[in-house]
Amino acid sequence: MIPSILPTYNRAPLTFVKGEGSWLVEADGRRFLDMAAGIAVMSLGHGHPAVVSALCNQAENLWHTSNLYQIEGQQTLADKLVAHTFADTVFFTNSGTESCELAVKMARKYFHARGEDRTEIIAFNGSFHGRSSAGIAAAGSAKMTEGFGPLLPGFTHLDIGDHDGLRAAITDKTCAVIVEPVLGEGGIIPVPEQCLKGLRDLCDATGTLLILDEVQCGVGRTGKLFAHEWSGISPDIMMIAKGIGSGFPLGCVLATENAASGMSAGTHGSTYGGNPLGCAVGNAVMDIIAQSDFLDDVERKGTLLKSLLDDLVAKHSAVFELARGAGLMAGLKCRLPVGDVLSASYAQELLVVPAGDNTLRLLPALTVTDTELKDAVVRLDRAAASLSA
């Protein structure tokens, strides 16, 4: 008999009942150090007072009206995002998957509105853009797409760094290139800054739109508000979610006025997108994370974490191959099966996340302390030792 919850997740036998900063309390009372943060979602940690206050205050006044009316908090949050980014306009969603759907629609509609037959999109192997029809078509991997055909057409897949292939793939039918500045599910693989710069130049030269997926790597995670800022480029369209809501379902698509010019009234919508609850939280998150001193501290802690992980790899070279990442978005490429390392970490009451390329992800809250980062690596040390015994 099928269980009452559709069994699409391979869940760990853990049930958490309370969260406090970088800690989760299991039903049996054990305290787990959370270096997963709900898969890069809990940007300000569990129970952050500013976020809790914003949500509770809003809940006492107004939950939902729909986008048939003006929403005060939505306008405030949009203004903040525009002020801090390349964007001229924002559309609010509930998730990264929904943001991907709109980004694809926006790019295709842009050229349709101009009378140009450009619908094809170039994406990259190892990417992840959500689990909708557009998202899995953009990722293209058999793991994501098998059994869900026919797939949404119009996607070409290349390897990151295949510059000759990329130049050859862009034709007069290409409308956009979509890329994660740091591949998340693909194994915490940063795209080199020179590659992003070259991609921006190529898109400019061919009139192609550049879509950046910063659902996982954005909202302060790398030590800049958005990861593409390290390369000095700007996209035409950007997808975000996860950290902007710090646990509350919230996503956005940010765009230039030009890229969004095809999206007139009635071309897209969302019943819940940008609701008062989500925007109250998003405003509280932005007020904290967009501060330069906060981002500088994330960068500093990212440097500390990378140093600790490099030492861990050197000590346990039979378990780990290398450490990589950006800021507080770290990956340990494993020599042993990542599932074994994950289980050993759970035994040390440490929460981490598996990813592609046999990689273990550390995605702590951006508010994590130095002591907690050191504690996490001590627990990984014990986990690795247990596997080497």
Side-chain angles (χ1 to χ4, degrees):
M1 178 181 293
I2 189 170
S4 59
I5 296 177
L6 192 69
T8 57
Y9 291 102
N10 183 21
R11 299 175 191 265
L14 298 168
T15 303
F16 297 108
V17 296
K18 186 174 177 58
E20 303 167 342
S22 292
W23 298 85
L24 283 170
V25 181
E26 219 271 345
D28 63 11
R30 288 178 295 161
R31 288 172 57 85
F32 281 71
L33 181 52
D34 184 9
M35 292 290 113
I39 316 181
V41 166
M42 304 302 300
S43 52
L44 296 178
H46 300 283
H48 191 285
V51 176
V52 172
S53 177
L55 183 60
C56 290
N57 290 341
Q58 185 61 53
E60 290 177 350
N61 289 286
L62 183 66
W63 288 30
H64 178 75
T65 60
S66 87
N67 285 295
L68 295 175
Y69 315 105
Q70 304 293 324
I71 299 174
E72 184 178 16
Q74 185 181 123
Q75 185 65 61
T76 302
L77 182 53
D79 289 344
K80 288 176 185 177
L81 289 166
V82 167
H84 283 93
T85 70
F86 72 96
D88 300 308
T89 189
V90 181
F91 183 95
F92 290 98
T93 69
N94 304 286
S95 67
T97 289
E98 291 177 40
S99 294
C100 178
E101 289 292 307
L102 174 54
V104 169
K105 289 176 66 176
M106 184 181 286
R108 288 176 168 169
K109 195 68 163 62
Y110 170 79
F111 287 101
H112 176 81
R114 293 161 59 96
E116 297 182 50
D117 182 22
R118 297 179 67 168
T119 60
E120 296 178 2
I121 296 174
I122 295 172
F124 294 93
N125 296 319
S127 63
F128 181 84
H129 303 294
R131 295 182 182 273
S132 65
S133 293
I136 63 173
S141 67
K143 177 182 177 182
M144 296 286 294
T145 61
E146 186 177 0
F148 297 114
L151 298 179
L152 188 69
F155 291 88
T156 298
H157 300 92
L158 301 172
D159 291 331
I160 293 287
D162 183 3
H163 304 128
D164 291 339
L166 179 60
R167 282 189 288 270
I170 293 183
T171 71
D172 59 3
K173 297 293 185 182
T174 306
C175 71
V177 177
I178 183 170
V179 64
E180 300 167 87
V182 183
L183 274 66
E185 299 287 335
I188 311 296
I189 302 173
V191 177
E193 291 180 18
Q194 63 269 26
C195 289
L196 288 176
K197 290 177 180 177
L199 185 54
R200 177 71 271 180
D201 290 343
L202 184 58
C203 286
D204 288 342
T206 58
T208 304
L209 297 177
L210 177 60
I211 303 171
L212 294 185
D213 181 342
E214 294 230 18
V215 169
Q216 188 167 151
C217 63
V219 195
R221 183 141 295 276
T222 67
K224 297 284 190 184
L225 189 56
F226 293 103
H228 69 267
E229 295 175 28
W230 291 105
S231 65
I233 69 159
S234 295
D236 301 293
I237 302 169
M238 182 170 68
M239 307 149 44
I240 70 172
K242 289 187 181 289
I244 188 65
S246 195
F248 195 93
L250 180 63
C252 318
V253 172
L254 290 78
T256 64
E257 180 181 10
N258 181 53
S261 60
M263 303 302 294
S264 55
T267 55
H268 196 68
S270 172
T271 298
Y272 293 106
N275 67 75
L277 293 170
C279 288
V281 171
N283 275 300
V285 170
M286 278 293 292
D287 286 346
I288 295 170
I289 292 181
Q291 298 299 315
S292 59
D293 56 347
F294 184 93
L295 293 169
D296 289 345
D297 200 43
V298 171
E299 182 183 2
R300 182 193 63 76
K301 287 185 285 193
T303 300
L304 170 62
L305 178 58
K306 180 61 164 59
S307 175
L308 293 169
L309 293 178
D310 283 341
D311 290 344
L312 181 72
V313 170
K315 183 176 180 180
H316 295 285
S317 58
V319 178
F320 304 114
E321 181 177 338
L322 58 86
R324 61 192 174 204
L328 291 177
M329 186 177 184
L332 281 168
K333 182 172 171 57
C334 301
R335 297 189 189 277
L336 298 181
V338 68
D340 293 350
V341 184
L342 180 65
S343 296
S345 300
Y346 288 160
Q348 299 301 323
E349 298 178 0
L350 175 69
L351 301 178
V352 284
V353 186
D357 197 32
N358 204 42
T359 300
L360 200 68
R361 281 180 283 178
L362 286 82
L363 304 164
L366 306 184
T367 52
V368 67
T369 67
D370 292 10
T371 298
E372 288 165 341
L373 290 174
K374 293 172 183 177
D375 188 355
V377 176
V378 167
R379 292 171 191 240
L380 281 171
D381 182 15
R382 294 200 297 259
S386 73
L387 293 169
S388 302

